Amino acid sequence: MQYEPENTVLGMDLMGEGEREATLASELRGPQVRWGRAGLLLWLLLGVMAAEGCLMYYEPGAGLGAFGLILLGILLLSREWTALSRWQIGGLVLFGLSALQSVIFTSMSNVLVMGSLLLLLSGERAHGSELAPWRSWVEGMLSGVRPFAALGRGFQILATRNSERQDKGDRIAYMLSIAIPVAGLLVVFGLLLSGGNAILGNWLGNILDAVERFLYYLELPTLDRWIFWGFFGLMTLMLVCVGGATRLTAALAGTWPHLGSKSGKLRLHQWYAALIALNLLFLLSSITDVVFLWFSRELPEGVTHSRYLHTGVYALILTTLLSAFILGTLTQHTDRVRKNRVILGLSSAWMIQNIILISGVFLRLWIYIDAYGYTPKRIYVSLFLCLVLAGYASLAWAITRYRDFKWLVSVNLVLVFGYFSLIQFVDVRRIVVNLNVPLYRAGEIDFPESLHLRQIGSHQVPYLIEIIGNPQSVVDHDLAMGILTSNPRIGPTTGWQSFQSVNYKNRLLLEEFLSEMKE
């Protein structure tokens, strides 16, 4: 059973015959849900209950994969089946592998990949092979707007109807249709303003405490539970409230307009000036990198390894990404600009300097690793830099082969998604331990700091056992023993929702080591 998009809010008929105004709700068409109004409420309730049983008060683990599979089931059952496309089959296989991976060890990549696949599959479920895969993904993203658009349309219709009829029941509905959106705006802006105003933040905290006490007095669920239910209820609605293709994706699928088509000469001179100035600025930065990193490898006086790395890495990565975006816009200009030989030469020189800049980030990172060893964050930064280099390769191809900005965006979205899809299966924390143990044995790095041990989680167990077996000093031996015997962070021991096989294996390793020590 399907509902007309512009006259339904959560499956309820809100518009009289003849009321067909063009609104945001009519543009974001939906929902198309099997079993009608009751089915929509059933999926909503099922999604919230699944989140409660799998995620509430549990650390990520097997429960994350189970919740993802339940959401996938809701998505597949909430609408009629059509023939599976190759994208759907590939998405389902990768989703299953990602859900299984959460049982082995969970990472942020798990969450990102499963969430992206759910949005892609939700668009595919609604349109089948009608839309290109990337358009289906955009339609899935718009699913998050549809519930709000539908509710907003509902408030508008209630206000119109109740302004004409003034009986008591209608007046209550009329006031609610005004109060609810106003309350939502007050909550959003109240939170934003309290973040920058300590006094307002304190007042808001007192109000929230009073609400918590009131809910507790009435034996109702706590405020955080209501927020939790609302968030995952919205997530479920995002999957089931998917309608027809919007004008946004139709516009994206068409030919993107050229930049500066009516001011070619001006654009040409703007690019000349910008590229010359930026190349000179980057040349100055490259010279300092060559002097202080490539040859001397000595830092300027008063500059520590930590400051040089952290100040350099994040600022320079942002610089290279912004540079790539600016160069990417060149591909959307007219042929008079993008095929100009001077601009091609200057843009190529700027790309080369950005690659030198990325090399400087690698060297900064290596200086820090050489001094303090590996951490998961440093490994992730290195891998991300490789992703940036791949993005620059696609940018060079787009500029020299005259590909447009739309092609460039599509390729880089595939690169980013592929990166997260692969990295979720790599146990970076274990790699860090395997790299640091030989460095510690050789005396090249010191005993790991507490922050480092928290980052590697349960993998600190084999790391500390290796240190106990080959300590640099008695102090290191005693420190490692003290941490191991004082319950290191190896993951929760109760609740299948938080189970990760990596934590389980490290827990067994710890128990075996402690039992041997007692003997």
Side-chain angles (χ1 to χ4, degrees):
M1 179 177 181
Q2 296 183 353
Y3 295 98
E4 291 297 324
E6 55 270 20
N7 68 345
T8 56
V9 176
L10 300 184
M12 296 181 290
D13 188 358
L14 295 177
M15 291 185 65
E17 294 183 6
E19 289 185 64
R20 293 294 182 268
E21 302 107 309
T23 62
L24 179 60
S26 63
E27 167 64 13
L28 298 176
R29 301 194 294 274
Q32 300 173 341
V33 184
R34 292 181 68 183
W35 309 331
R37 182 186 318 169
L40 184 62
L41 295 176
L42 172 64
W43 301 129
L44 176 62
L45 180 62
L46 180 58
V48 172
M49 291 176 61
E52 175 80 10
C54 296
L55 303 178
M56 190 68 175
Y57 304 132
Y58 294 103
E59 291 191 15
L64 177 64
F67 177 66
L69 291 175
I70 292 172
L71 283 186
L72 180 63
I74 292 174
L75 172 62
L76 298 180
L77 293 173
S78 61
R79 284 183 293 276
E80 297 287 350
W81 263 105
T82 56
L84 281 174
S85 67
R86 66 180 185 276
W87 300 105
Q88 286 177 323
I89 296 174
L92 289 171
V93 171
L94 181 56
F95 190 93
L97 293 174
S98 300
L100 178 62
Q101 177 61 30
S102 66
V103 182
I104 301 173
F105 64 87
T106 308
S107 64
M108 182 58 68
S109 301
N110 263 139
V111 179
L112 294 176
V113 171
M114 286 195 288
S116 299
L117 286 173
L118 282 173
L119 292 177
L120 174 61
L121 290 169
S122 68
E124 285 275 311
R125 281 291 280 145
H127 311 295
S129 58
E130 175 188 345
L131 300 180
W134 67 272
R135 285 188 65 192
S136 295
W137 186 78
V138 174
E139 288 295 338
M141 292 291 292
L142 290 174
S143 301
V145 183
R146 285 191 175 87
F148 294 107
L151 288 174
R153 177 59 182 155
F155 290 133
Q156 177 186 347
I157 296 166
L158 283 174
T160 302
R161 287 185 170 184
N162 290 299
S163 64
E164 300 171 354
R165 295 180 296 181
Q166 296 298 320
D167 55 73
K168 183 177 180 180
D170 286 335
R171 284 197 299 270
I172 294 175
Y174 179 75
M175 295 303 296
L176 286 175
S177 67
I178 297 174
I180 293 177
V182 171
L185 291 173
L186 285 176
V187 169
V188 172
F189 284 99
L191 292 173
L192 292 175
L193 291 174
S194 64
N197 187 317
I199 296 176
L200 183 61
N202 187 48
W203 290 347
L204 181 61
N206 292 334
I207 293 173
L208 293 177
D209 289 340
V211 172
E212 285 283 0
R213 289 193 297 270
F214 178 73
L215 293 174
Y216 178 78
Y217 176 76
L218 296 180
E219 297 184 354
L220 294 174
T222 56
L223 188 60
D224 62 332
R225 217 175 190 97
W226 286 107
I227 296 173
F228 180 88
W229 290 341
F231 175 79
F232 286 102
L234 175 62
M235 182 180 293
T236 306
L237 288 178
M238 288 176 64
L239 299 181
V240 299
C241 293
V242 178
T246 63
R247 286 179 292 183
L248 173 61
T249 56
L252 292 175
T255 302
W256 294 9
H258 289 295
L259 300 174
S261 57
K262 296 182 180 179
S263 54
K265 185 178 180 180
L266 174 62
R267 293 290 184 181
L268 205 60
H269 290 161
Q270 285 175 334
W271 276 102
Y272 283 157
L275 288 174
I276 290 173
L278 289 170
N279 269 293
L280 290 175
L281 177 62
F282 274 60
L283 180 62
L284 178 62
S285 175
S286 299
I287 290 173
T288 58
D289 268 356
V290 169
V291 170
F292 288 107
L293 290 178
W294 292 50
F295 292 114
S296 70
R297 296 294 299 275
E298 294 294 332
L299 298 181
E301 185 178 353
V303 179
T304 64
H305 288 104
S306 179
R307 180 186 171 194
Y308 200 49
L309 173 68
H310 293 143
T311 303
V313 165
Y314 298 115
L316 294 181
I317 287 179
L318 181 60
T319 300
T320 57
L321 292 177
L322 181 59
S323 301
F325 175 77
I326 294 173
L327 285 169
T329 61
L330 176 62
T331 63
Q332 199 58 30
H333 280 70
T334 58
D335 288 347
R336 181 181 181 181
V337 175
R338 65 180 300 185
K339 293 185 178 181
N340 183 278
R341 291 186 177 181
V342 176
I343 289 182
L344 285 175
L346 289 172
S347 59
S348 298
W350 195 22
M351 277 192 290
I352 292 173
Q353 293 209 70
N354 272 280
I355 293 174
I356 294 174
L357 205 64
I358 295 172
S359 301
V361 177
F362 270 116
L363 284 172
R364 283 172 168 82
L365 192 63
W366 181 251
I367 289 174
Y368 208 60
I369 290 174
D370 190 48
Y372 303 108
Y374 295 87
T375 66
K377 184 181 292 186
R378 292 163 203 163
I379 296 291
Y380 283 126
V381 170
S382 300
L383 294 174
F384 182 76
L385 289 174
C386 294
L387 180 64
V388 173
L389 289 175
Y392 266 92
S394 69
L395 177 61
W397 182 270
I399 291 177
T400 57
R401 299 293 179 176
Y402 306 117
R403 298 284 189 175
D404 60 8
F405 193 61
K406 177 182 173 181
W407 177 89
L408 187 62
V409 170
S410 301
V411 169
N412 279 273
L413 283 176
V414 172
L415 285 174
V416 171
F417 181 75
Y419 166 80
F420 284 110
S421 298
L422 292 175
I423 199 65
Q424 67 174 326
F425 300 111
V426 179
D427 192 350
V428 174
R429 296 173 300 174
R430 181 65 186 180
I431 292 175
V432 166
V433 173
N434 292 338
L435 291 172
N436 279 346
V437 166
L439 294 177
Y440 176 82
R441 289 176 178 175
E444 297 181 16
I445 60 174
D446 298 326
F447 189 88
E449 298 177 352
S450 57
L451 176 61
H452 173 71
L453 293 177
R454 286 197 299 271
Q455 287 183 10
I456 62 177
S458 67
H459 283 303
Q460 63 184 274
V461 172
Y463 195 2
L464 293 172
I465 290 176
E466 288 288 343
I467 291 177
I468 292 172
N470 300 275
Q472 292 182 8
S473 64
V474 176
V475 174
D476 286 0
H477 178 277
D478 294 341
L479 279 174
M481 282 296 298
I483 296 173
L484 277 179
T485 55
S486 62
N487 190 23
R489 188 179 184 278
I490 56 175
T493 57
T494 59
W496 65 267
Q497 294 89 341
S498 300
F499 176 84
Q500 295 182 37
S501 65
V502 165
N503 292 341
Y504 177 72
K505 292 178 180 178
N506 286 329
R507 188 179 300 114
L508 292 180
L509 180 63
L510 176 60
E511 292 174 356
E512 181 182 353
F513 175 78
L514 293 178
S515 64
E516 291 178 355
M517 292 297 297
K518 291 179 180 179
E519 296 176 358

